[in-house]
Every structure is written in structure tokens, then in C-alpha cells.
Amino acid sequence: MSIQIERSLFLFYIIFVFYAWAQCSQHTDCTSCTQDKGTLGLTPCCWNSNSSTCQTSLLGLCASGSTGVTYNCPTNPPSDFTYTDNFGRNYTLPFIASAYGDFNQAQVCLNNTVPDAQLIGVYNDSRNCSSVLALLPSQNTIVVAFRGAQGSTQFVITALNLILQGPLVSFPPGGKVFSYFSSCFLGIWNAGLGANLKSLKQANSNYGLWVFGHSLGGALASLTSTYAVHQKIFNSSDVKLITTGQPRTGDLDYAIAHDSSIPHSYRLINVADLVTKMPEKVNLDATNAFHHHFEIWYNQNMLIGANFTLCNQAEASNCSSSTSLVQSLSYDYHNTYFNTSIDTWFGTGCI
Ligand SMILES: *[C@@H]1O[C@H](CO)[C@@H](O)[C@H](O)[C@H]1NC(C)=O
Ligand SMILES: *[C@@H]1O[C@H](CO)[C@@H](O)[C@H](O)[C@H]1NC(C)=O
Ligand SMILES: *[C@@H]1O[C@H](CO)[C@@H](O)[C@H](O)[C@H]1NC(C)=O
Ligand SMILES: *[C@@H]1O[C@H](CO)[C@@H](O)[C@H](O)[C@H]1NC(C)=O
Ligand SMILES: *[C@@H]1O[C@H](CO)[C@@H](O)[C@H](O)[C@H]1NC(C)=O
Ligand SMILES: *[C@@H]1O[C@H](CO)[C@@H](O)[C@H](O)[C@H]1NC(C)=O
Ligand SMILES: *[C@@H]1O[C@H](CO)[C@@H](O)[C@H](O)[C@H]1NC(C)=O
Ligand SMILES: *[C@@H]1O[C@H](CO)[C@@H](O)[C@H](O)[C@H]1NC(C)=O
Ligand SMILES: *[C@@H]1O[C@H](CO)[C@@H](O)[C@H](O)[C@H]1NC(C)=O
């Protein structure tokens, strides 16, 4: 009797697996594949972009290298602005470095690196988060740049670990973000950045906006760019976001909201930078913390002429996430973007 029950259960299981396989394998594109959650949502399908096939999940989990999240389907950035190493080196690096100084130090740094830049203000909050606001007339652009937490990577990691234990809070443009990032962003925005950004745009109506930031400042840059569009201070197409060493900033819904506001968005990652892996995810499909597009992975170093890869998935398993934790801990990738000590360079006037 019990053998009979076992036998029919086994048969049922085989039919179920076969059914799930047949159900998934009919899909030939990532979107329809990842939207298929199966009967009663029990057998979601997973897209493997390496083989371009739709596969059955195992107990609801996708095999490593495949994804069940539609947002994580491969996509390319808009062709009207592609990241170049020159852009990062000429603009992103010096503006981020300048944000580590006070007004005078920022001014000296910019005079030595981007002579055309006019520093408008430095805005900080009680948590020592800080940003610079500048005009760049040669590029018809307003620039905002955020510094990261100061000190050794170990300190940054410890601080971020505490920060990322915190709750996620709703962010007006959409989704949820880590509460420390939200507080820092609001502190700086309300310390004058928001009002001055608005009046600068009114006085220079044909200007676009570039937002840069490193580490914690990368998360703040991401929030600021999204918020500026949400507040209708700028149109989406006029904003560019470029960050270095940015941790995961919010949940999947925030990533989606960010992308719809900021299509020209690039996160630079130096080889195996540990901070960009935080908060840590064992399963890249987990939606509580989700990177947004587009990862630029410098996979060897960031010397002049270094190669980099544009990754077409927000959480790609074969870009920086493919590096090991051991490699991440083996070298201070986090503080040396573009072969420059990003948090101390201002001390020598950025030369
Ligand atoms: C990652 O995989 C995708 C899909 O197979 C491929 O197009 C891309 O070139 C790979 N990227 C790297 C850095 O290997
Ligand atoms: C991707 O596919 C190629 C050839 O089809 C295979 O050699 C390689 O191991 C695959 N990579 C991954 C990460 O599955
Ligand atoms: C960056 O600077 C280099 C050297 O000064 C220059 O040749 C290049 O045109 C600049 N690139 C951009 C995108 O501004
Ligand atoms: C920076 O350059 C401006 C314009 O050339 C000049 O007026 C200012 O004194 C310089 N500031 C510093 C701190 O070097
Ligand atoms: C901002 O920085 C200045 C100078 O470093 C400091 O005096 C001021 O207290 C800071 N503001 C806040 C709100 O902490
Ligand atoms: C705040 O930032 C300033 C300027 O970089 C730094 O000198 C100071 O040590 C920081 N203060 C704290 C409490 O971290
Ligand atoms: C956004 O674009 C529309 C249509 O081109 C234009 O009317 C409007 O002034 C723009 N808004 C801003 C803030 O640039
Ligand atoms: C970049 O990649 C090209 C092609 O693979 C290679 O020839 C070149 O040596 C690489 N450059 C550096 C600086 O690694
Ligand atoms: C820049 O690269 C050179 C050559 O690899 C290296 O000796 C130097 O330490 C690097 N500087 C920084 C700040 O990483």
C-alpha cells in the first residue's frame, strides 16, 4: 500500500518536473521567461543569458548565472551617451576628490584639474556627509559631487556595515532606500543644495546636470539625481550620473525608479571593490537590495588606458560579482580609483 503511494507521488513529481521544464523551455526571450512564475507561482522560470535559454528553477531558486527578475534582463544603455574612460578621468575623479575638502581646498583642487569650473558652494550635514556644487560653462552643465566616508577602507566597511543594518525607508520617486543614505541626502539637500541647484538651473535654463559621488557619496549621488528629476528641476535626458565604489543603495523598486528617471547612469567598479558588494547578497536575485544600471567594470586596474567592460545586467554574475571575497580583501581597491587616492588627493591640491 505505502509503496503504491510512494510510486504515485514519484510519478506525480516526474510529471510536475517535466511540465515545469516544458513550460519554461517554450520561452525564447528574457522578459516572457522571467514573467512566467508557473502554476500557482510554484515553478518560476529563469533566464540564462549565456546560453539564451529559459530554464526551470530548482525549488523556486534560479541556478547561479541565471535570473528570475525581469528588471535584471540584459539591456543596453541609450546610445546618446556612453561612458568613456576620459570622461571619468577628466571630470568624475576631480569633482569627487574636490568634495573631500572645505570650500578653499575644493577651489584649489578644481583650479588645478578643471580650470573652467566655478565652485558655487559646499553643503554638509550633521553626519559629516558633504557635497560640492559647481558650474561648468564649457559643458553647459551644473555639477554636484559627493564625498564618501573618510578614512581607511576598513573604517568605511565598518561604518557601511552598521548603515546597511538599518531599515529601508520609502523614497518619494519610488521604492525604498537605506535610511542612513536617505537621512544624509535630505540633510544636504535641505542645507541649501536643493534650493541653490534650483536657482542655478533657473539662471542657466539650457544647462544639464552631472552628479558624481564616491562610496557612501555614490549612494547620495544616485538619490540626488533621481530626486532632481522627480522634482522636475531637470528633465531625464539632461542628467548624467557617474559613481565610483557605490554600495547597493535601495531595493529593486528603487533601482527601477532610478532607471526610469536617469537613463544615463554608470557605476564604476575597480576590480573587486568590496564596498560595491555591500550589503552582501548570496543570491543576486534577492530584491531587498538591488544595484541599478549600468555597471562599468574595470577588471584589472584603473591605470591610463585600462580596459573596462560595460555590463548589461544590473546584477550581473559575470562582472565584478564574479570576483571572490578573498580578492576583495586582498587590496585596497576601494580608495584608489583611477590610480589616485580618492579621499586624500585634495590634500595636495589634486596634483
Ligand atoms: C557576461 O555574459 C553575457 C551574456 O552571456 C555576455 O554578453 C558578456 O560579454 C559577459 N561579460 C563578461 C564580462 O564576461
Ligand atoms: C557560457 O557558454 C560557453 C559556451 O557556450 C561556455 O563555455 C561557458 O562556460 C559558459 N559560461 C558560463 C558562466 O556559464
Ligand atoms: C580628457 O582629457 C584629455 C587630455 O587632456 C583630452 O585629450 C580628452 O579630449 C578629454 N576628454 C573628454 C571627454 O573631455
Ligand atoms: C581659482 O581660480 C580663480 C579664477 O582663475 C581665481 O580667482 C581664484 O583665486 C583661484 N582660487 C584658488 C584658491 O586658487
Ligand atoms: C559643515 O562643515 C563646517 C566646516 O567643516 C562645520 O563648521 C559645520 O558645523 C558643518 N555643518 C554641520 C551641519 O555639521
Ligand atoms: C568631518 O570631515 C572633515 C573634513 O574632511 C574631517 O576633517 C573630520 O575629521 C570629519 N569629522 C568627523 C567627526 O568624522
Ligand atoms: C523639459 O522638457 C520640456 C519639453 O522639451 C520643456 O518644455 C521643459 O522646459 C523641460 N524642463 C526642464 C526643467 O528642463
Ligand atoms: C586592453 O584589451 C586589449 C584587447 O584585448 C589588449 O590588447 C590591451 O593590451 C588591453 N590593455 C590593457 C592596458 O590591459
Ligand atoms: C598607481 O600605479 C602605480 C603603478 O602601478 C603604482 O606604483 C602606484 O602605487 C599607484 N598609485 C596609487 C595611488 O594606487
Side-chain angles (χ1 to χ4, degrees):
M1 189 63 183
S2 91
I3 287 177
Q4 246 172 11
I5 292 175
E6 268 173 35
R7 211 178 263 165
S8 52
L9 272 178
F10 183 70
L11 199 64
F12 180 75
Y13 178 74
I14 293 292
I15 290 169
F16 188 73
V17 167
F18 180 77
Y19 173 79
W21 173 81
Q23 161 222 335
C24 290
S25 65
Q26 70 183 331
H27 299 290
T28 55
D29 71 281
C30 180
T31 302
S32 68
C33 173
T34 51
Q35 279 172 353
D36 188 341
K37 301 298 174 200
T39 319
L40 305 174
L42 288 175
T43 52
C45 303
C46 308
W47 181 256
N48 180 322
S49 49
N50 190 32
S51 58
S52 288
T53 53
C54 188
Q55 304 168 345
T56 314
S57 56
L58 203 64
L59 303 172
L61 286 175
C62 293
S64 124
S66 63
T67 186
V69 176
T70 304
Y71 172 71
N72 207 24
C73 285
T75 180
N76 292 312
S79 57
D80 57 341
F81 175 67
T82 356
Y83 170 78
T84 64
D85 182 73
N86 263 341
F87 189 94
R89 236 170 254 283
N90 294 8
Y91 299 118
T92 309
L93 170 66
F95 276 105
I96 287 174
S98 76
Y100 280 85
D102 60 22
F103 191 94
N104 285 326
Q105 291 163 327
Q107 182 74 72
V108 172
C109 175
L110 290 175
N111 272 13
N112 288 331
T113 50
V114 195
D116 172 45
Q118 296 167 16
L119 185 62
I120 305 295
V122 170
Y123 309 93
N124 58 347
D125 84 333
S126 56
R127 296 162 199 81
N128 221 14
C129 295
S130 193
S131 68
V132 297
L133 173 65
L135 275 181
L136 195 53
S138 64
Q139 303 292 322
N140 282 358
T141 293
I142 297 167
V143 184
V144 178
F146 293 86
R147 74 176 176 211
Q150 273 124 343
S152 67
T153 299
Q154 200 178 11
F155 169 80
V156 173
I157 299 296
T158 312
L160 273 174
N161 250 324
L162 289 172
I163 288 169
L164 297 169
Q165 311 286 317
L168 287 150
V169 297
S170 291
F171 190 60
K176 291 193 160 112
V177 303
F178 289 98
S179 72
Y180 188 91
F181 298 152
S182 168
S183 307
C184 250
F185 158 71
L186 284 172
I188 292 181
W189 186 267
N190 294 328
L193 177 65
N196 286 306
L197 185 59
K198 214 166 176 172
S199 58
L200 265 190
K201 172 63 176 169
Q202 273 157 8
N204 303 276
S205 60
N206 61 332
Y207 275 35
L209 175 68
W210 295 350
V211 191
F212 304 137
H214 177 63
S215 189
L216 155 70
L220 302 179
S222 169
L223 300 184
T224 300
S225 60
T226 311
Y227 196 72
V229 168
H230 178 254
Q231 293 295 101
K232 300 191 165 31
I233 304 173
F234 291 89
N235 281 326
S236 282
S237 57
D238 297 332
V239 182
K240 296 177 172 63
L241 173 74
I242 298 182
T243 68
T244 54
Q246 181 189 338
R248 292 186 174 97
T249 302
D251 65 1
L252 173 64
D253 289 338
Y254 170 68
I256 293 170
H258 168 79
D259 281 12
S260 74
S261 287
I262 313 291
H264 304 119
S265 181
Y266 297 94
R267 293 180 292 106
L268 313 188
I269 298 184
N270 184 21
V271 190
D273 182 343
L274 184 55
V275 169
T276 66
K277 295 181 176 179
M278 302 178 69
E280 255 195 278
K281 282 167 74 169
V282 176
N283 171 10
L284 287 181
D285 267 359
T287 58
N288 61 312
F290 220 91
H291 270 312
H292 52 65
H293 291 111
F294 283 93
E295 173 179 350
I296 297 284
W297 184 36
Y298 283 85
N299 63 8
Q300 282 164 349
N301 56 60
M302 292 187 79
L303 300 173
I304 290 171
N307 289 311
F308 61 83
T309 301
L310 167 69
C311 307
N312 64 5
Q313 287 181 279
E315 293 277 6
S317 60
N318 64 349
C319 283
S320 64
S321 288
S322 65
T323 60
S324 69
L325 209 52
V326 171
Q327 190 183 356
S328 293
L329 293 166
S330 70
Y331 178 76
D332 191 356
Y333 296 109
H334 185 61
N335 279 319
T336 50
Y337 275 76
F338 299 102
N339 193 225
T340 301
S341 170
I342 209 157
D343 58 338
T344 59
W345 200 33
F346 77 93
T348 55
C350 296
I351 43 177

